[in-house]
Amino acid sequence: MKDFDLKAFADRIKSLRLEKGVGQNKLAEDLNLSNASISYWETGKQIPSAEVIYKMAKYFEVSADYILGITDY
């Protein structure tokens, strides 16, 4: 089993956000979170809770495994 790659996780969140064409403020608003949270995740300073990962998976229409870097699809 490979170790959790925080940089890949952070890059994946940012990439998904940019592909959807939303800014950090819009994503934070849509997920009912703070702007700072989005910034911290994208810079690898914090990791969101399981509940937020679930919300992001639904929002971006991908699996939580994809967001976490477990799968590439």
Side-chain angles (χ1 to χ4, degrees):
M1 182 165 82
K2 69 180 185 176
D3 291 336
F4 179 69
D5 186 344
L6 184 57
K7 179 166 178 8
F9 167 77
D11 291 345
R12 195 154 280 181
I13 292 174
K14 184 174 183 176
S15 176
L16 286 166
R17 180 179 59 75
L18 293 174
E19 285 175 24
K20 192 165 179 93
V22 296
Q24 288 183 349
N25 293 341
K26 175 69 172 149
L27 179 59
E29 180 183 316
D30 289 350
L31 297 179
N32 198 28
L33 302 165
S34 73
N35 297 348
S37 293
I38 307 301
S39 177
Y40 289 149
W41 302 333
E42 289 186 3
T43 58
K45 293 179 182 174
Q46 288 183 353
I47 300 171
S49 68
E51 179 183 1
V52 172
I53 292 170
Y54 174 81
K55 283 182 178 181
M56 284 193 291
K58 292 292 193 184
Y59 183 83
F60 292 121
E61 299 178 341
V62 298
S63 70
D65 285 353
Y66 178 78
I67 291 173
L68 292 169
I70 296 169
T71 63
D72 289 329
Y73 50 89

